[in-house]
Amino acid sequence: MRQRTARLLMASLVAVDLTMAALAFAFGYILRLQSEYEAIAPFGDYLGMLTIHAVIVVVVFAFYRLYHRQRATSHIDEFYAIFGAASVGTIVAVVLIWLIYKNQLDYPRLMMVYTWILTILFTWFGRIVHSRIQWQLQSRGYNEARLLIVGTGEVGRIILQKIRQSPGLGYRVVGFVEDNN
């Protein structure tokens, strides 16, 4: 049950990242339309680029191991990881888009910048929402991890207290181990 829930949570995180990267591209297009520069092709012509961008971002996130989430990662640490991975992903996507659409369709530079910034912000926001949902599920016993605390003294009791204060982490203490030397 735990492995199935963990796989489902990871698959939903991939879906969130795909959606957020695609939305970032779409909003980058919309923001580019609002600029004072010349008009660009209709959005339908950019759907191939959108797909390439979203898929490359998810692949780079996988290489950065962003789908192997730790239970107690702060949102700031996750932002820094997303910043690096989304930056590399956007660069790789731009190069791949340039190679594929070299003489067919222009990918405006301003749209690239908007897409890059929005990819970072949207995926971070999507992951915050996803982690809140995951914490709620874990506090109800889904994706629960059993934990054995080494030490029965004051430190062991403090660790138990901290774990009980954070049920969203999804830990269930199964016991203590004491060293009788």
Side-chain angles (χ1 to χ4, degrees), residues 22 24-33 35 37 40-43 45-47 49-50 53 90 94 97 105-119:
F25 189 94
F27 277 94
Y29 176 85
I30 291 168
L31 288 172
R32 171 57 177 81
L33 282 177
S35 70
Y37 300 106
I40 57 177
F43 183 71
D45 294 350
Y46 288 93
L47 289 178
M49 290 183 183
L50 181 147
H53 174 75
T90 300
V94 165
I97 287 168
L105 186 62
D106 184 38
Y107 188 8
R109 289 184 300 264
L110 188 58
M111 187 173 152
M112 290 178 205
V113 172
Y114 287 146
T115 300
W116 167 61
I117 293 169
L118 292 174
T119 298

Side-chain angles (χ1 to χ4, degrees), residues 30-73:
I30 291 168
L31 288 172
R32 171 57 177 81
L33 282 177
Q34 305 302 318
S35 70
E36 59 199 40
Y37 300 106
E38 76 272 357
I40 57 177
F43 183 71
D45 294 350
Y46 288 93
L47 289 178
M49 290 183 183
L50 181 147
T51 304
I52 291 169
H53 174 75
V55 169
I56 292 296
V57 165
V58 168
V59 168
V60 170
F61 277 23
F63 278 114
Y64 271 70
R65 300 185 54 85
L66 294 181
Y67 297 113
H68 300 273
R69 296 181 85 182
Q70 301 296 317
R71 290 182 181 262
T73 302

Side-chain angles (χ1 to χ4, degrees), residues 3 17 32 41 45 51 62 78 89 95 129 142-143 145 153 155 177 180:
Q3 288 179 350
D17 287 344
R32 171 57 177 81
D45 294 350
T51 304
E78 192 158 37
V95 169
V129 171
Y142 293 96
N143 198 29
V155 174
V177 175
N180 288 330

Side-chain angles (χ1 to χ4, degrees), residues 56 60 64 82-93 116:
I56 292 296
V60 170
Y64 271 70
I82 289 169
F83 182 87
S87 297
V88 170
T90 300
I91 291 169
V92 171
W116 167 61

Side-chain angles (χ1 to χ4, degrees), residues 128-142:
I128 288 172
V129 171
H130 185 274
S131 68
R132 296 292 181 189
I133 293 169
Q134 182 175 342
W135 291 345
Q136 288 296 319
L137 290 172
Q138 287 175 172
S139 68
R140 293 186 174 113
Y142 293 96

